[in-house]
Amino acid sequence: MHQRDMERFAFLFLCGKRDRAILLGKEKMTFSDLDRLTYVSDFLGLKLYNLEI
């Protein structure tokens, strides 16, 4: 398993139900969602997943 995949699974495990739906493409992402999710993933040190978001 690649580092990017491990970071993705960790972030999806830690985030809430609505954020999980956004990241999996089930709900539309707003700019404020993008800003918040990239901030949190950067704060957690998930650099590769931050770039994927």
Side-chain angles (χ1 to χ4, degrees):
M1 184 176 286
H2 296 1
Q3 180 69 24
R4 178 185 44 129
D5 296 331
M6 292 184 348
E7 289 182 7
R8 180 176 192 245
F9 290 133
F11 193 75
L12 289 175
F13 178 76
L14 293 172
C15 69
K17 187 186 299 186
R18 182 173 179 276
D19 290 339
R20 197 173 303 123
I22 290 170
L23 293 169
L24 294 175
K26 296 178 182 178
E27 289 188 29
K28 288 187 176 183
M29 183 183 296
T30 64
F31 182 75
S32 61
D33 291 331
L34 174 68
D35 191 37
R36 181 175 46 81
L37 291 171
T38 55
Y39 176 80
V40 171
S41 63
D42 186 47
F43 180 78
L44 294 174
L46 305 173
K47 303 292 183 195
L48 296 174
Y49 191 62
N50 188 359
L51 293 174
E52 188 175 318
I53 292 175

